[in-house]
Amino acid sequence: MTSSTPTRGAANRALLSLAIGSFGIGMTEFVVMGLLPNIASDLLPGQWASGQEDAIAQAGWLISLYALGVVVGAPTIAGSVAKYPRHRVMLGLALALTVFNALTFIAPNFELVAASRFLAGLPHGAYFGIGALVAADALGPGKRAKGVAFVLTGLTVANVVGVPLGTFLGQQAGWRAAFMVVAGIFAVATICIGFFVPAHPGQPGRTLRAELGVFRIGQVWVALGIGAIGFGGFFAVYSYVAPMVTEVSGAPAWAVPIVLVLMGVGMTVGNLIGGHLADVDVKRTLLGGLAALAVTLAVVGWSAQWIVALAIAVFAVGLVSSVLSPTIQTRLMDVAGDNQSIAAALNHSALNIGNSLGAFLGGLVIAAGWGFVSPAWVGVVLALAGFAICATGLAVERRSERTRRADPAEGWRRSLNR
């Protein structure tokens, strides 16, 4: 069986296999946030005894190191393996994720756990990027974004089911138990990919140097800017939902996981909607999604003092933001030319930069005394900035297309200098 001739059942089994791995990635990336106190008290007992806040802050480096691994690993791994058959690359990436998360489970001290988190982040972007290429091909022409969205569904479902259950397990049985489960999920994904993902050729002759040529394409930078800045608006709110719920709306602490589950449900629904809309019109979905994200983030800012309204608004933010996720991924694939592997992976580097930027700016305005609602307004600004980047990029693209039609030679020269 080749990638061009799978039956519908075979295609679905391949996509489900890839989605199991993305479910594991969603768990390993986000379950740390709910277990930071447990990790800090276990691995940093001295700091914990003298000041819990300082210990938790140091444990927070585990989140940053994972994100750094994603940013570093996405372009380097994806670019380096572009020439190899993609089904074999996916198998290797799933195996690496299994091993590195098992290292987190068994590492005896904070330094080695920190190293394992960086290593676990390295395959993240390449897994999603190359997996997106396999998924886009599996469903055939006209359904590329739906295939990408199906794989990303594992990530969104992890926020609904995997992260809350992993957090509960880690709180009850020790934080290491959560990573034992994560490693087991990746082991299952490895087996399923080996059996069910059909042969999918790479790009023989491609090198990392050739793949890095993607950075000479202006529209690639536009798409990455949308992810790093526009999508950063989502992370500005996601990072500070808990204090909004407890400190602004006055709800009890048990309401926090309920609100987070609602956001996860919104993300799952939005991801599937985004796959359909992106197959219809990628550009309009990008513009409409960014505008809608700005609106829903503003609603969060206006409604945060009422818990029911806040919960509904957070659901809407999750839905709209996940409409954008497969759309940005598909746009990158559209503008990357021959640099498909690295471009698809770079999306996740951009989103992790957005994660860091949104969380940093949200924390900055809180520290400045502007209140726990202020990250929502930071998110509005970031979403509008992403909209401006997108609109400008599309306008430049339309002008270039008109130039090429009017003067093919001049259009060719401009394309070389994009």
Side-chain angles (χ1 to χ4, degrees), residues 120-198:
L122 291 174
H124 174 129
Y127 183 95
F128 277 117
I130 298 173
L133 298 177
V134 175
D137 190 53
L139 292 183
K143 298 181 179 180
R144 294 181 313 138
K146 289 180 182 176
V148 173
F150 192 101
V151 174
L152 289 174
T153 297
L155 180 65
T156 59
V157 171
N159 283 279
V160 180
V161 179
V163 173
L165 289 180
T167 301
F168 178 77
L169 175 63
Q171 291 170 340
Q172 301 301 313
W175 66 270
R176 294 180 187 275
F179 288 96
M180 180 179 67
V181 171
V182 169
I185 291 170
F186 283 125
V188 172
T190 302
I191 294 170
C192 291
I193 289 171
F195 278 105
F196 299 124
V197 173

Side-chain angles (χ1 to χ4, degrees), residues 187-215:
V188 172
T190 302
I191 294 170
C192 291
I193 289 171
F195 278 105
F196 299 124
V197 173
H200 197 287
Q203 295 175 286
R206 295 294 292 181
T207 63
L208 176 59
R209 181 177 180 180
E211 286 286 308
L212 291 175
V214 73
F215 291 111

Side-chain angles (χ1 to χ4, degrees), residues 53 66 94 98 153 196 259 296 319 325 358 383 414:
E53 292 82 2
Y66 184 92
T98 304
T153 297
F196 299 124
V259 173
T296 54
L319 188 151
S325 185
R414 289 194 178 190

Side-chain angles (χ1 to χ4, degrees), residues 11 13 21 27 40 44 50 54 57 89 95-96 114 145 153 181 205 246 270 274 282-283 303 322 335 351 367:
R13 287 191 293 272
M27 276 196 71
L44 302 166
S50 60
D54 291 340
V89 170
L95 181 59
T153 297
V181 171
T246 58
V282 170
K283 298 175 184 178
S303 65
S322 284
V335 300
L351 295 183

